[in-house]
Amino acid sequence: MTEPLSFEKSRPNAHAPRLPDADVTAAGAADVIPRELLRSQAPALPRLSEPEVMRHYSRLASMNYSISEQFYPLGSCTMKYNPVANEAAASLPGFTALHPYQDEESVQGALELMWRLEQALCAVVGVDRVTLQPAAGAHGEWTALRMIQAFHRSRGEARTEVLVPDSAHGTNPASAALSGFQVVEVASAPDGRISLADLEAKLSSRVAALMLTNPNTLGLFEREILDIAELVHNTGAKLYYDGANLNAFMGVCRPGDMGFDAVHMNLHKTFTTPHGGGGPGAGPVGVKSDLVPFLPTPTVERTNGHLKLDFKRPQSIGRVRSFYGNFGMLVRAYTYIVAMGGDGLTQASMDAVLSANYLRKRMEGLLDLPHEGPCMHEFVASAHNLAPNGIRALDVAKGLLERDFYAPTIYFPLVVPEAIMVEPTETESKATLDAFADAIAEIVKEAKEDPDKLHHEPHSLPVGRLDEVATARRINAYLLGQSEDPILRWKPAREQPC
Amino acid sequence: MTEPLSFEKSRPNAHAPRLPDADVTAAGAADVIPRELLRSQAPALPRLSEPEVMRHYSRLASMNYSISEQFYPLGSCTMKYNPVANEAAASLPGFTALHPYQDEESVQGALELMWRLEQALCAVVGVDRVTLQPAAGAHGEWTALRMIQAFHRSRGEARTEVLVPDSAHGTNPASAALSGFQVVEVASAPDGRISLADLEAKLSSRVAALMLTNPNTLGLFEREILDIAELVHNTGAKLYYDGANLNAFMGVCRPGDMGFDAVHMNLHKTFTTPHGGGGPGAGPVGVKSDLVPFLPTPTVERTNGHLKLDFKRPQSIGRVRSFYGNFGMLVRAYTYIVAMGGDGLTQASMDAVLSANYLRKRMEGLLDLPHEGPCMHEFVASAHNLAPNGIRALDVAKGLLERDFYAPTIYFPLVVPEAIMVEPTETESKATLDAFADAIAEIVKEAKEDPDKLHHEPHSLPVGRLDEVATARRINAYLLGQSEDPILRWKPAREQPC
Amino acid sequence: MLAAIGIDSMEGLLVDIPRSLRIPRLELPNGLSEFETMAQITSLADRNRVFPDRLTFRGGGVYRRFIPAAVAAVTSKPEFYTAYTPYQPEASQGTLQAIYEFQTLIAELTALDVANASLYDGATAVAEAAMMAFVHTGRKEVLVSGYLHPEYLDVLRAFGEGRGIKIRKGSEPTAKTAAVIFQQPDFLGLLVDAAGLTKRAHDAGAIAIACVDPISLALLAPPGQYGADIAVGEGQQLGLSPSYGGPHVGFIACHKDLVRRLPGRLIGESHDAQGRRGFVLTLTAREQHIRREKATSNICTNHSLCALAASVYMTYMGAEGMRHVADVSFKRAHALAARLTALPGWELAFPEQQFLNEFPIRVPKPAVMNRKLARRGILGGLDMHRWYRELKGVFTFTCTEVNDPRAIDELVEAVSS
Amino acid sequence: MLAAIGIDSMEGLLVDIPRSLRIPRLELPNGLSEFETMAQITSLADRNRVFPDRLTFRGGGVYRRFIPAAVAAVTSKPEFYTAYTPYQPEASQGTLQAIYEFQTLIAELTALDVANASLYDGATAVAEAAMMAFVHTGRKEVLVSGYLHPEYLDVLRAFGEGRGIKIRKGSEPTAKTAAVIFQQPDFLGLLVDAAGLTKRAHDAGAIAIACVDPISLALLAPPGQYGADIAVGEGQQLGLSPSYGGPHVGFIACHKDLVRRLPGRLIGESHDAQGRRGFVLTLTAREQHIRREKATSNICTNHSLCALAASVYMTYMGAEGMRHVADVSFKRAHALAARLTALPGWELAFPEQQFLNEFPIRVPKPAVMNRKLARRGILGGLDMHRWYRELKGVFTFTCTEVNDPRAIDELVEAVSS
Ligand SMILES: Cc1ncc(COP(=O)(O)O)c(C=O)c1O
Ligand SMILES: Cc1ncc(COP(=O)(O)O)c(C=O)c1O
């Protein structure tokens, strides 16, 4: 059942919260500040008592699937369990109460944590330095490309192109464009890996970098990664690693050793900081020595036990965000790393690969598996085989929701028709993987026997399939001035005077 | 959908938690302690990884109704909203980490809080001292009766009877019996209040006390309370106040002024400490001066700013529980009292009475209202009018569950057939009360038009009506040795060696 | 709403309250904002001294142990902590199943047939067990053998007094004895002859009541193994913080013959019309709301949420985990005992008796020791002389998995300096 | 599972990885128990100094404010914090509706048509707004007027550099100007002529971008009122702790004409076949996963949970509540300013300009002041000279509802002693 909006529950006579009074003798803003600088209409915020506020959000929470209650095999997103100790650590007042402009002496513990985290990440991906500032993966991609850009410029080279495989995540080309590069797409070979031929064809002195993720978004390890690196480096370009798939091989191999010059990591994927329904995350970037001078400011430096923030970096690309990154997320990731240790992280990757291959095996005969195995931490299946029954990847996804599973990533990567991208992660038990496989089997059966039933799923969730097209149409009408309803927000009936 | 037991999810190869090693050179218990003192069979506890444990309990949580998500009009239980600040206060390390045997000097803050709470409770109910030790209301009843017993004994009187109205809560007679008293029941008059005539008839020099709650369990204020008090006191007996209904008149009147000699309070009702699915609560007991010498040990004493625990109380009934009561609950209740203040508590009672009367009004014509209004903070209706349709109070309750409301207390008090006891509390909005009334109207309609449909509700909850009779029968078979299945616990397939 | 009710002021609803009883206002300050309230409460918390886990060597019934973050993550779920006693099973399966699992966990740990949903604490659990024996045997005397927690003994006395039950110290039951109660390990941390005491109780036709440490049961023979009829205990060590003594949780388990005498809630397995398994409150004919003065106990609200915490703890740790921490605690306590007894003037009070992770030791400077330790941030041993005249200068020290070897070094260094 | 897959060892799954790339092990210590891990993390936390809320007078973009316990109670719900971006709407209505409410709250607060689901922080929000203006106008210059937060300016420069956008200081837009950016109140806490700057921008055909303090909008004219095209800002004050600078939340709202240029997620209202209302991600044609290099931005993961915290805060406080704390902050800051300027050698740096609850003041002993205050447990003003050569000896002081009058007394006493 659906829930009214907080605005719709609003009551003019609800108990407003008790708040401290000023208790000083001073005029109020309204008496001092010229009327034209003041607000004329009060914002139409809801007015609810604390019990109503809490119940509202409790009921909203109960309308979500989450890894705390459901298997969440969202390919490329590494929805692994988030240890509760991470949350306990991040909520220590010694971290949450720190003002970013406190003197260095008063935040040595925070700086030490950031420094140790940098060391640990360097060890995992095999780079020389890491900046912890980027707020997410895409932000890290852009930060790294800016560094690569600055590197080339520092050598008087105006390289204007960035190569991106057609299987790449959308943030890769978007980040390249945001850095002012032209994006040139590189084709995938039939085996799902990047086509070396096409790569060679696209490489030139105009190319600043090739962005690659490995294993790629199909979950396949780029076997020829060393040749790729050589090709790229021979043209003077840099090799960029999209670390969203790092969970595949921690402790087994390192991007740095593969020849990657810059690496972003999604702490909210590989290192268990929670996704929060869409962030906050953290996207640290690691670089090899020749990119180090271009790291954003500030960096954390440690000289015989004393830690400081270094703002004096002449070649730096400057600041990529305010303060020092999503510190609270850094605390969680570091807590996870300490608890797991080198042995635990390695085991995690092994288990992730094992789970993916087991589940892939169980998919045989149910869905198409366009590429040969083994896969790494995830695999891409296809609902193409159900097309004759008029069933699409979307229908399979909705069928899973009906069966109390979150859905895999669908229609990505774009190179696979009706793609169903499954990443089970290491934190799920075999029992859960089997239950998921059984659900897929049931759905495939239903697809063949009663496709129309499947078309109407889910029906036991708060809402059924939503008409996104109608939504877009109505927004369009609003933007064209043909309607008063923004659709993108609730609209108050009437304004209250301030 | 139902959830397997943790035991059923157990996997022999689940990741066991990492735990610290001893890191000292000492022999293990198994090598030192004689075999006969050691455990021979390991207990069959489940083995699950942390993610599985967390998901298990998350899913169980989602199978509960609670005031955080549903209206919970459970008569006599005062299911009011539990402010989240209470929880924040109670989880301060300055409270949670205190060892009960720390020296007084190191726990002055805790003792000060207990002392202030005692003062506040004295002010609310109008008594001279309060013991914070009882763990719940029933424990408070027993504690108070033991004090009254000790009081009479100290005066050489062996009073052996305790009077309890037929409308009283079950814990009243049970507590009396547990204190070694004979229980004598006093009848209710037709208007739902205690029968003065029957009271006079039952009063004698054998009577130690009359246990009364006011407003009584029908939500009616005992108008003749002053006469009742006089009658009781004239025979030398004490008047006991069951404070479960204190929410009705905070700031309006006080049990102490009505002539009550001993009063228990349910902090988990009136003072918003959470019910926790059945506790922990706290049942402090307040007494007038002549019972003070008999308070349990220790009491908290304050002499010019310094606080101490007083164990030297020659006439004390002794200890009623370990340490100093449910301290964590005391912190929550005190936090609530500070936030509400005298004005807030008074308003709370006013609003509670208003809500109850409003809802009672809305019940007119839907259910029987056997007693005349106005009511205080709660009222008792009856489903008797639906008997012709074969509908009982139980069916109405289940119909409410189906409509996303928790059910009122049913079949209590015993003096009303098909009782439906409704206590909305002050923290619910009019909108919620109206929605509840509408649900009752819908149920009554269904009862008349399609009673069989109602008999089969609820059907959209994790389970439907459960066969409690079969359960009792199966337990019986086990207790009689006719079956191996205890029903009262899960039974492991086989034992593992230690 | 007043209008809907058909009155024009609140007074119309308060007509039944005699004028003479009305008070003008509550003698309490006005309410405060949440911010000011928390500031006030925090200042009280700040007036308490918190000793770090690792430097806490004091036990006596409440112990510092590792508490997995998972415990609070579960018990802080409003769906659990803001629900009431599960009177409506269809809408309370979360609580009901959790308690059913708790009953099973306790039954497994104690190796007895059935456990209840929880009691207030270890002290009242002992008393309730004694009441069971009193009613079951019809005998009016209860024997307490050895060093039962002194506060448990006090509570037992208070319970006994009301009903005229004589509480005696001793371990020689007679035909008048309803029950023999012993604690394993006892209040001093020492192991007692549980099997022997049980046998003697049975030989006299009395009930054997074992008061046990739940963590110890991962290592020690559980009551069911040596035939005790009732096992009770304090569950604080199962994931609950010291919290100045409460709320914690009492548990009680018994042999099937005594199930109908059990106090408090019992959850049983059931099924709905579609055959789906569910759980319900059962055997309620024992309880106050049905049986009133004939109930086995007056308990109603119990300690459900604490039982939930204990369930999460036991489920998280598993049998291996509990055994591991019990063994680590054992080793560290014995290492500490060895270190201390090597110091001049320190000697075990009962060198011939075995202990697990708490032990009584005679110290050279009882008067000043703990004050000296406190200055180093250490919460030292517990002075047994407070309760036992015969144990002058004897303190019990406790070690668990939280007292790392360096902490032990610090303690030894502090006492010897 | 290996058997099921049909291989006999993990190696069988790692065949694609060149041998030469395999590493023997990670150069990291082995894992620790949760207890040991927390001990290590806690010791790091203990190496930081925490200044009490009430004695924190430092702002500069991050402020101490009363945070209702309700905020953490909501954001700590696993159903919210362990969910992913709501790709499957039927199973994500909780997150979707919460964000839709956030969009509405921000649109209401800024008095603009549409707000998005959130951005990383105030700094990147300013930069994203500039990118919108750049694309919309096709002009390559962005003007920054007055005292924009220096870190926001740095980030804007870094964004601009990639795409060759010139960032200039000034408030005189020309035909080359894509946007005029101003902060209200500015980094020094002073009120600027937002309406005038907006008009000038529009007269030059440029976009007016207002960087605003969300709490101030309860009192001050919102961007929509004076016609600004885009409003951006930092939402930390809406229920988020300082947390050494993050995670916080950036917000962005705009006039309907610019909606298709908005970066990031947008949630819209929708319906299912039965006509039940639901919410969905919409206008995704702006986003990277659809438009790739032609997307309005590269942002994917944003700051949803922080936006949720802000929604809870605003919903809990309501318009009156926010207005109240804004006014209390105003009064206390002005009371503090009056007290300080009464001291010898203290004078307002810009006496002729209005401020809300943060103000720049010239202090007599800049070199030692804050060290002196720190000794009294006070986090003093922020030294503007760090960023502005011309502001030698000028510090900004901040007051909010957490700085009670006694705290103000303590500060004044400390600086004058
Ligand atoms: C392959 C890949 N690259 C990049 C990203 C972008 O990371 P973020 O969402 O943290 O910006 C993602 C995550 O969605 C991803 O899956
Ligand atoms: C009227 C009345 N008296 C006594 C009690 C017993 O209180 P508790 O459950 O805290 O023992 C209750 C609560 O159920 C009650 O409603």
Side-chain angles (χ1 to χ4, degrees), chain B residues 135-334:
Chain B
H139 197 211
E141 295 169 14
W142 169 80
T143 301
L145 290 170
R146 289 281 302 109
M147 286 193 261
I148 290 169
Q149 190 175 47
F151 167 82
H152 291 305
R153 286 180 183 171
S154 73
R155 309 167 75 233
E157 295 182 8
R159 293 177 177 250
T160 56
E161 294 176 1
V162 163
L163 304 187
V164 177
D166 53 11
S167 67
H169 190 268
T171 52
N172 292 186
S175 298
L178 190 64
S179 319
F181 289 106
Q182 273 117 51
V183 175
V184 178
E185 201 165 84
V186 182
S188 299
D191 75 344
R193 296 177 171 85
I194 190 167
S195 154
L196 278 176
D198 195 49
L199 174 60
E200 283 194 80
K202 304 280 168 69
L203 275 169
S204 79
S205 61
R206 290 186 309 281
V207 175
L210 165 66
M211 300 181 80
L212 210 61
T213 184
N214 190 20
N216 65 19
T217 57
L218 296 167
L220 303 173
F221 192 90
E222 295 284 355
R223 289 195 206 97
E224 280 126 339
I225 184 60
L226 293 167
D227 307 342
I228 294 169
E230 194 177 353
L231 279 173
V232 169
H233 289 150
N234 287 346
T235 65
K238 292 292 182 190
L239 189 57
Y240 175 80
Y241 182 68
D242 174 338
N245 294 345
L246 180 61
N247 208 50
F249 52 51
M250 289 184 290
V252 175
C253 54
R254 311 189 304 174
D257 303 333
M258 300 173 197
F260 286 98
D261 304 286
V263 176
H264 96 253
M265 293 152 266
N266 300 69
L267 299 190
H268 44 299
K269 294 180 178 181
T270 318
F271 299 99
T272 68
T273 78
H275 278 87
V285 173
V287 293
K288 295 284 189 61
S289 53
D290 56 0
L291 289 176
V292 167
F294 307 97
L295 284 168
T297 55
T299 56
V300 179
E301 304 297 337
R302 193 172 196 274
T303 38
N304 42 55
H306 185 271
L307 294 121
K308 60 184 282 294
L309 291 166
D310 179 9
F311 294 89
K312 314 220 172 352
R313 306 184 60 86
Q315 291 188 279
S316 166
I317 60 167
R319 270 200 171 278
V320 299
R321 61 154 288 161
S322 56
F323 312 115
Y324 327 109
N326 283 342
F327 179 73
M329 298 295 128
L330 306 182
V331 174
R332 290 170 171 88
Y334 181 65

Side-chain angles (χ1 to χ4, degrees), chain A residues 11 15 18 50-52 54-55 58-59 62 67-70 81 83-84 340 343 351 404 428-429, chain B residues 15 18 50-52 54-55 58-59 62 67-70 81 83-84 340 343-344 351 404 428-429:
Chain A
R11 302 182 290 126
H15 281 292
R18 283 206 216 223
E50 180 181 320
E52 294 169 294
M54 288 307 297
R55 189 175 288 170
S58 296
R59 295 180 75 107
S62 67
I67 41 170
S68 71
E69 284 183 52
Q70 283 84 10
Y81 170 73
V84 281
M340 295 294 279
D343 53 341
D351 293 347
D404 204 31
E428 297 293 337
S429 69
Chain B
H15 282 292
R18 283 206 215 222
E50 180 181 319
E52 294 169 293
M54 288 307 298
R55 189 175 289 170
S58 296
R59 296 180 74 106
S62 66
I67 40 171
S68 71
E69 284 184 50
Q70 283 84 10
Y81 170 73
V84 283
M340 294 295 278
D343 54 341
D351 293 347
D404 204 32
E428 296 294 337
S429 67

